[in-house]
Amino acid sequence: GAGVSQSPSNKVTEKGKDVELRCDPISGHTALYWYRQSLGQGLEFLIYFQGNSAPDKSGLPSDRFSAERTGGSVSTLTIQRTQQEDSAVYLCASSLDGGQGAFFGQGTRLTVV
Amino acid sequence: RKEVEQDPGPFNVPEGATVAFNCTYSNSASQSFFWYRQDCRKEPKLLMSVYSSGNEDGRFTAQLNRASQYISLLIRDSKLSDSATYLCVVKRGRRALTFGSGTRLQVQP
């Protein structure tokens, strides 16, 4: 497909387990963003990758959260030792370069029970 | 102070009305500006970029006022399908896109 693809679309996990969320950006897009959104709330920035530059990790809420982007394409967001407050929709977006608007995937709905 | 501020609304307007939203941003070094719309339980979708000269896309017109640091979105001839939350977005340098909290629009028959 031509759009941003995220998997899984839904994930239910037990408190304390680790989860990995995947994002396939649009081909050729150098910028990739992760945000999360709790029900009824705004978008919360997590991390931003731009080309070969060091990622902006300033939005990661704790050291339980990490992300990588391999080969300038696919990105994985990892949450270790999940907590109930981690429950949210995790949204990935990509753009052609850092100065343009970004296109979002459909998100991963994470529920920690 | 938030970097991007929007009136949360809701704005309740009848079909066919013209409605305008404003958004203010705090950092004068912001370089790129966008409007997104987000439907309930869906991902945000890029509506339009905002340029200094102003730009129009069908019924939608976006304006940027750098001196006053605000961005506006005008929707003419509102449709029921325009009901959504409209997000104002700014970008500065190497930083990520910063989203406002959104303005909710409800178009009523």
Side-chain angles (χ1 to χ4, degrees), chain A residues 34-81:
Chain A
W34 283 98
Y35 294 85
R36 72 176 177 181
Q37 188 172 33
S38 300
L39 192 62
Q41 303 298 308
L43 272 75
E44 177 187 0
F45 166 66
L46 296 176
I47 188 168
Y48 167 47
F49 298 90
Q50 173 53 58
N52 296 322
S53 301
D56 177 356
K57 303 179 182 180
S58 61
L60 295 178
S62 77
D63 59 8
R64 296 186 296 105
F65 289 72
S66 63
E68 61 178 21
R69 188 177 186 193
T70 53
S73 182
V74 171
S75 178
T76 302
L77 177 69
T78 301
I79 309 173
Q80 296 179 309
R81 305 182 301 283

Side-chain angles (χ1 to χ4, degrees), chain B residues 2-72:
Chain B
K2 290 183 181 179
E3 188 164 350
V4 181
E5 300 216 47
Q6 296 184 251
D7 180 344
F11 284 57
N12 295 302
V13 302
E15 270 188 292
T18 295
V19 61
F21 310 132
N22 285 336
C23 157
T24 58
Y25 59 96
S26 60
N27 198 306
S28 60
S30 298
Q31 297 163 304
S32 303
F33 308 89
F34 310 94
W35 283 102
Y36 280 70
R37 70 170 279 167
Q38 186 173 27
D39 294 283
C40 189
R41 292 183 170 266
K42 298 286 190 180
E43 74 278 14
K45 291 192 189 308
L46 179 62
L47 185 63
M48 58 200 301
S49 301
V50 187
Y51 303 115
S52 297
S53 54
N55 48 299
E56 190 173 305
D57 183 2
R59 296 181 294 109
F60 298 81
T61 301
Q63 297 275 358
L64 167 63
N65 185 318
R66 286 190 185 272
S68 302
Q69 294 180 206
Y70 80 79
I71 306 150
S72 64

